[in-house]
Amino acid sequence: MIKSAFLNRSKEIIKLAIPAVGEMILYMLIWVFDTLMVGKYGGQISVSAVGFSSEIMYTFINILIAMGLSISITSIVARCLGAREHKKAEDMADLGVKIGGVIAILVFLIFFIFSKNILSLAGAKGDVLILGYKYMRICSIGLFFNMVTNLLNGVFRGCKNTKTPLYGAAILNIVNLSLDYTLIFGKFGFPELGVEGAAIATTIGNICAFLFILSQLKKLPFKISLKGKVNFNYLKELVDLAIPSGLQEGAFSIVRLLSVMMVMKLGSLAFSANQISVTIESISFMPGWGFAISAVSLVGHSIGEKDLKSAREYANTSLLLACIVMGFFSLVFLFFSENLVRLFIKSDEVEVIALGAACLMIGSIQQIPTAIDMVLSGSLKGMGDTKTPFRIVLFCNWCIRLPLMYYFIYLKRMPVTYFWWITSLQWTVEAAIFIKIYRDKFYKNPLKS
């Protein structure tokens, strides 16, 4: 009986997680393909320009939309539908898309107008600044469509529909990959545009994905009209969830960005090796993210139904599956690091390959702790608690990771491998705290019915 219940839960989780994992992998592959192709085209400088620009742009997208407003919309819509409050789910989704749309316009304008200033302020110089400016300015147009798509995807996930966002991501990748090859290298009669070609490909891909998601809104159990009046009680509820969730991502992403800026001080060799390793490792985060999305949705629905036991079982099963999958990636990074790095750079850049492989091998340590962090954070958000994950991430990133990065990377100029030892420590401590809090919230202090 227990085995049968576990298998049923696993099937339901996997049914939601696999499309979410696929979606996130496909979104990450945009960055991967851009980095891979410009690396083959222009070497270290092009990799540094695209990687640095992408880090900055996606840091703000994640803080404001992907991990902030979008994940909050998923949580609220899931709990409303679990409690059979369809009208509230519709109003909250409508409100979230409105707020996100305004944010998306502001972010687009900032990156389009101030690209060079932003990159210069972040420490980019010379050819990296010139190429990065061209890449960021073009990509900023696509960012608007990317952010609105992310918001709508959050609504679909809250309705237990992770397939539609997956199909949108697939369209984005097909367009992006086709145009990357065509525009970067100048194939089929098109001009050879290099880094600018990668940016154009990404932008057109984002527009196509947005148009597809827009065409699928009829599949939702309610209508998003954007015409209704703003309900300030709902606005407060949404903001109360979105701000801590966004701040959690900010606590992580801003420290990550500062860390990347410190690594840039070590030179283009260290930065290029680190960027390639980060790009490869980011693929392994996608399964964790997929199971975290499942946890947000299924735990949210269970909490809406006042069924804590089911919420706990969904969280536990999601955690186990995430650890198994990301544990597999840990072994891949440990034994095949050099082969993976070689895919992203010219074969004669042996120093970059050796250093990147060393970084990736160290990164294998943090895969299972990262899975624990993602799924338990998602479980807490599913029950409507975004403040606790924010506090944990704030402490671990600003009190552990950042001081150590500043001392070893910025002041002592230690090898870039120290970056990976430090992040492994941070993820492990964070995982231990999440386990303690999760047990307290879901076992020792159960929700009142």
Side-chain angles (χ1 to χ4, degrees):
M1 186 71 179
I2 294 173
K3 184 178 179 182
S4 176
F6 172 77
L7 289 174
N8 288 335
R9 284 195 305 274
S10 296
K11 287 177 184 177
E12 190 171 0
I13 289 166
I14 290 170
K15 185 179 177 182
L16 282 180
I18 285 180
V21 170
E23 178 200 350
M24 292 301 108
I25 288 175
L26 288 172
Y27 272 115
M28 187 53 61
L29 285 178
I30 300 164
W31 185 11
V32 171
F33 285 137
D34 281 358
T35 304
L36 190 152
M37 291 197 186
V38 298
K40 293 293 185 184
Y41 176 83
Q44 288 184 37
I45 299 298
S46 295
V47 167
S48 297
V50 170
F52 196 46
S53 302
S54 297
E55 281 280 0
I56 294 171
M57 289 187 291
Y58 287 105
T59 292
F60 285 94
I61 289 176
N62 287 339
I63 292 170
L64 296 170
I65 301 294
M67 304 298 179
L69 197 53
S70 181
I71 202 80
S72 301
I73 292 171
T74 299
S75 175
I76 290 176
V77 169
R79 280 182 284 120
C80 288
L81 293 179
R84 290 176 171 74
E85 297 177 346
H86 285 72
K87 182 64 173 66
K88 183 178 179 182
E90 178 181 334
D91 292 343
M92 294 299 278
D94 195 73
L95 182 60
V97 174
K98 282 179 186 173
I99 296 170
V102 173
I103 293 172
I105 292 171
L106 292 174
V107 171
F108 152 64
L109 290 173
I110 289 168
F111 279 116
F112 186 80
I113 298 168
F114 302 107
S115 322
K116 187 173 286 187
N117 308 72
I118 292 168
L119 285 165
S120 181
L121 187 64
K125 296 177 183 178
D127 289 340
V128 173
L129 175 60
I130 294 168
L131 290 175
Y133 162 68
K134 292 177 180 178
Y135 183 81
M136 183 181 283
R137 198 156 194 262
I138 296 170
C139 279
S140 66
I141 300 168
L143 286 185
F144 169 78
F145 297 97
N146 177 282
M147 285 185 279
V148 177
T149 300
N150 230 309
L151 293 165
L152 296 173
N153 286 346
V155 179
F156 278 106
R157 294 183 196 117
C159 299
K160 292 188 179 181
N161 180 346
T162 52
K163 288 184 179 179
T164 298
L166 170 66
Y167 298 148
I171 290 170
L172 169 53
N173 264 269
I174 291 168
V175 173
N176 182 66
L177 180 57
S178 303
L179 293 179
D180 259 349
Y181 179 72
T182 302
L183 298 177
I184 291 173
F185 299 100
K187 302 294 182 179
F188 310 116
F190 285 88
E192 184 180 317
L193 299 175
V195 168
E196 291 177 89
I200 293 169
T202 301
T203 298
I204 294 174
N206 275 316
I207 294 170
C208 291
F210 167 74
L211 293 174
F212 170 77
I213 294 296
L214 212 59
S215 73
Q216 300 301 301
L217 293 181
K218 58 183 177 291
K219 291 185 177 180
L220 293 172
F222 47 75
K223 185 178 180 182
I224 296 180
S225 65
L226 304 181
K227 294 178 181 178
K229 293 181 179 179
V230 174
N231 183 317
F232 288 96
N233 289 327
Y234 289 173
L235 177 62
K236 183 180 183 301
E237 185 178 347
L238 182 61
V239 169
D240 283 348
L241 270 183
I243 288 179
S245 187
L247 288 175
Q248 177 192 343
E249 179 61 24
F252 167 68
S253 291
I254 291 172
V255 169
R256 185 186 63 191
L257 185 57
L258 290 172
S259 301
V260 168
M261 290 163 64
M262 292 179 201
V263 170
M264 180 163 273
K265 299 288 184 182
L266 300 178
S268 62
L269 168 62
F271 185 81
S272 182
N274 185 70
Q275 202 60 40
I276 289 171
S277 301
V278 167
T279 302
I280 294 169
E281 192 204 25
S282 63
I283 298 172
S284 73
F285 283 9
M286 298 306 103
W289 169 247
F291 288 115
I293 286 294
S294 296
V296 173
S297 181
L298 293 171
V299 169
H301 273 265
S302 297
I303 294 297
E305 294 168 348
K306 307 290 186 186
D307 187 353
L308 180 65
K309 184 174 181 290
S310 290
R312 191 162 51 217
E313 289 169 350
Y314 280 126
N316 289 341
T317 308
S318 297
L319 179 60
L320 175 61
L321 294 173
C323 286
I324 290 171
V325 175
M326 290 190 69
F328 168 76
F329 276 101
S330 179
L331 295 175
V332 171
F333 294 158
L334 188 61
F335 294 109
F336 301 101
S337 55
E338 187 172 317
N339 306 72
L340 292 169
V341 174
R342 283 184 182 277
L343 296 173
F344 287 79
I345 198 73
K346 294 177 179 178
S347 58
D348 59 350
E349 302 215 35
V350 291
E351 289 180 304
V352 175
I353 293 169
L355 189 55
C359 292
L360 203 55
M361 288 178 72
I362 299 168
S364 66
I365 298 169
Q366 63 197 34
Q367 298 310 304
I368 290 178
T370 301
I372 294 170
D373 285 16
M374 288 180 166
V375 174
L376 295 189
S377 176
S379 299
L380 291 170
K381 289 173 183 174
M383 70 184 297
D385 180 4
T386 56
K387 292 179 181 177
T388 300
F390 161 58
R391 293 187 187 114
I392 296 171
V393 172
L394 180 69
F395 169 75
C396 291
N397 279 271
W398 287 81
C399 298
I400 297 175
R401 180 170 175 166
L402 186 59
L404 291 175
M405 287 287 181
Y406 181 75
Y407 179 77
F408 286 105
I409 304 295
Y410 187 78
L411 294 181
K412 293 296 184 180
R413 294 288 197 274
M414 300 302 286
V416 72
T417 48
Y418 275 68
F419 173 99
W420 291 81
W421 287 115
I422 292 167
T423 57
S424 294
L425 172 65
Q426 170 244 313
W427 283 113
T428 302
V429 172
E430 203 169 297
I433 298 173
F434 264 115
I435 290 171
K436 172 68 169 62
I437 298 296
Y438 168 71
R439 290 182 65 83
D440 288 346
K441 291 262 184 182
F442 280 75
Y443 287 88
K444 293 183 181 178
N445 300 309
L447 299 176
K448 293 180 180 179
S449 300

